[in-house]
Amino acid sequence: MAVAVTFWYIGQLGLLKVVFSMAANTLSHRVAYHILFNLRVALVEKLNRVPLGFFANKSIGELKKTINEDVEQLEEVLAHAIPDLAAALAVPISCAVILAFVDWRLSLASIVMFPLLVVIYPITLSATKPLSEKYYAALADFRSVAIEFIKGMKVIRAFPDMDGSPQKFNKAISDVAEATRLMSQAALMPGALMTVGLRANVLVILPVGGLLFLSGEITTNTFVLF
């Protein structure tokens, strides 16, 4: 009977989690795309007011990247990163507070490694930032060359030996591939450390809990719970 009641409560909590997750995702995405819409409208209105000389120094690919891809990157932060960060902080802290009533020592052990993430995350950003600028510059150049290549397709096919567009197009593709490879390599080690940091609390809970269990200060159920 007790087991059935326990599973019933777990089922209700699971259902609440699904409902709240759906509500949070819906709200965060509505807010994010509302902000993106307003920002794109503001950028287009700004383009209507800038001097014509501005367009002489900017390619179609660069402008398209700014209005479309650059603004779209904010969606990841607004709709995913902020809610995920809130959950990533709220869940372990709430659990640690609740579990503190069971055993405060193991509760501290369960969150003692989280400050490590605060140190690693800025390292991850700083490692990729210089290379990400080169990546997005290469991407903008690729889009500009691709538009030029498509528009000039008739001329290219009629006079294949007189136009350098295919070579420019291939070089733009190679530049994007190389920039992507360098940025991925730079993020590899910090990303691995971040993954380890997210699970490193087990390295503290196991020895601390093991010592408390062997000394008879906690029960098996408590150890397994943590």
Side-chain angles (χ1 to χ4, degrees), residues 3-222:
V3 174
V5 171
T6 301
F7 276 110
W8 184 84
Y9 277 115
I10 291 173
Q12 298 304 307
L13 290 172
L15 181 61
L16 281 175
K17 179 183 178 182
V18 171
V19 171
F20 283 122
S21 294
M22 290 174 61
N25 284 329
T26 301
L27 179 62
S28 63
H29 280 82
R30 281 182 178 275
V31 171
Y33 281 108
H34 180 71
I35 293 173
L36 264 58
F37 172 80
N38 290 335
L39 184 55
R40 285 189 173 114
V41 169
L43 286 171
V44 172
E45 290 176 348
K46 178 69 174 179
L47 288 176
N48 288 329
R49 298 192 299 269
V50 298
L52 291 177
F54 172 82
F55 297 98
N57 300 320
K58 295 290 182 180
S59 66
I60 296 174
E62 286 180 292
L63 295 175
K64 175 182 176 295
K65 172 184 172 292
T66 300
I67 295 172
N68 190 34
E69 283 81 5
D70 287 355
V71 173
E72 189 66 28
Q73 288 184 57
L74 294 176
E75 186 271 340
E76 180 69 26
V77 176
L78 296 171
H80 299 279
I82 292 177
D84 289 350
L85 179 62
L89 293 174
V91 171
I93 292 173
S94 299
C95 288
V97 171
I98 294 170
L99 291 173
F101 292 98
V102 180
D103 190 281
W104 65 270
R105 296 162 297 185
L106 283 177
S107 180
L108 286 177
S110 67
I111 61 171
V112 71
M113 296 298 287
F114 284 138
L116 179 65
L117 299 179
V118 179
V119 176
I120 295 175
Y121 188 65
I123 295 174
T124 305
L125 294 179
S126 62
T128 57
K129 186 176 180 181
L131 295 170
S132 66
E133 292 175 358
K134 294 179 181 179
Y135 166 76
Y136 288 117
L139 201 60
D141 183 59
F142 165 72
R143 291 193 179 94
S144 181
V145 172
I147 292 170
E148 178 185 327
F149 182 73
I150 294 169
K151 285 183 176 180
M153 185 58 68
K154 290 182 180 180
V155 177
I156 293 169
R157 296 190 65 176
F159 307 99
D161 298 328
M162 296 178 63
D163 194 293
S165 294
Q167 290 74 22
K168 288 172 62 179
F169 188 58
N170 290 335
K171 183 180 182 303
I173 293 174
S174 298
D175 289 344
V176 171
E178 180 64 12
T180 304
R181 183 184 68 80
L182 292 174
M183 190 168 67
S184 299
Q185 283 184 341
L188 183 62
M189 184 57 70
L193 290 173
M194 179 69 73
T195 303
V196 171
L198 287 169
R199 294 158 177 79
N201 57 333
V202 178
L203 300 176
V204 181
I205 292 174
L206 285 176
V208 173
L211 289 173
L212 292 173
F213 174 73
L214 292 174
S215 64
E217 295 186 49
I218 61 172
T219 63
T220 306
N221 290 340
T222 301

